[in-house]
Amino acid sequence: MDDATEPSPGDKAQMYLETLRLRMDPEPYRVLGEMLQEIVRLVAAPGRAAEQVPAPEDEQYYTDEVRDELMVLVAILLTGRMDQHIVNVGNGFITVVDSDALADESRMAHLRDQAAERRRASNEQEDVLRGIEEATRQCDEA
């Protein structure tokens, strides 16, 4: 396929959205669309304040499926590739990778190592914050 006939990343995302519309329940699909629109607006207007999406009354529809599909859609828009995969790299982190990255064991090992480092740093930060909170509580009690 030559460049003249290759669909744009936006067209590819639109095709993917159409498949989601056919298989997702209407409310989660609506929330997904609203979140995607907000991301596109933020990219188009850097510095603009983000709106709260989903709205508090729609948080019940922000499921893991919606989160995962949103990640895939953003990856399609950024890369123009439709071979995206959601991967749990461990330590509570998920990411989106294309088929090439998924097949590259060293790349996946690097992603797992990054996730482990982020978890370690997060745990250290939580320990420091707990220490500050405890010291503050002790000062308040004195």
Side-chain angles (χ1 to χ4, degrees):
M1 189 177 284
D2 63 24
D3 289 338
T5 59
E6 176 75 15
S8 72
D11 291 339
K12 290 177 182 181
Q14 192 62 43
M15 286 186 281
Y16 190 77
L17 272 168
E18 185 60 22
T19 67
L20 294 177
R21 186 184 65 75
L22 295 173
R23 69 177 174 82
M24 286 180 79
D25 289 334
E27 290 305 307
Y29 179 79
R30 179 184 55 77
V31 167
L32 172 66
E34 290 171 359
M35 294 181 79
L36 184 61
Q37 286 175 348
E38 180 61 11
I39 290 170
V40 169
R41 281 192 293 268
L42 288 170
V43 169
R48 168 180 136 349
E51 293 179 20
Q52 181 177 353
V53 181
E57 63 272 13
D58 288 332
E59 285 183 14
Q60 65 187 336
Y61 302 118
Y62 183 62
T63 62
D64 289 347
E65 178 187 23
V66 169
R67 178 207 59 210
D68 291 353
E69 295 300 357
L70 182 62
M71 290 173 57
V72 168
L73 282 160
V74 169
I76 291 169
L77 288 169
L78 291 173
T79 67
R81 293 182 65 160
M82 294 188 72
D83 61 338
Q84 308 298 334
H85 303 273
I86 300 292
V87 178
N88 181 337
V89 291
N91 295 294
F93 291 97
I94 59 170
T95 191
V96 179
V97 298
D98 59 39
S99 294
D100 296 337
L102 188 62
D104 185 339
E105 290 183 31
S106 66
R107 205 160 161 194
M108 294 307 298
H110 179 70
L111 289 172
R112 285 189 293 277
D113 291 346
Q114 283 181 319
E117 177 57 28
R118 285 185 188 142
R119 176 57 63 203
R120 185 195 60 71
S122 177
N123 288 344
E124 285 179 3
Q125 186 177 32
E126 288 173 12
D127 290 345
V128 168
L129 293 173
R130 272 193 294 280
I132 292 170
E133 181 181 25
E134 181 62 30
T136 302
R137 190 173 339 166
Q138 289 175 358
C139 287
D140 289 344
E141 291 172 359

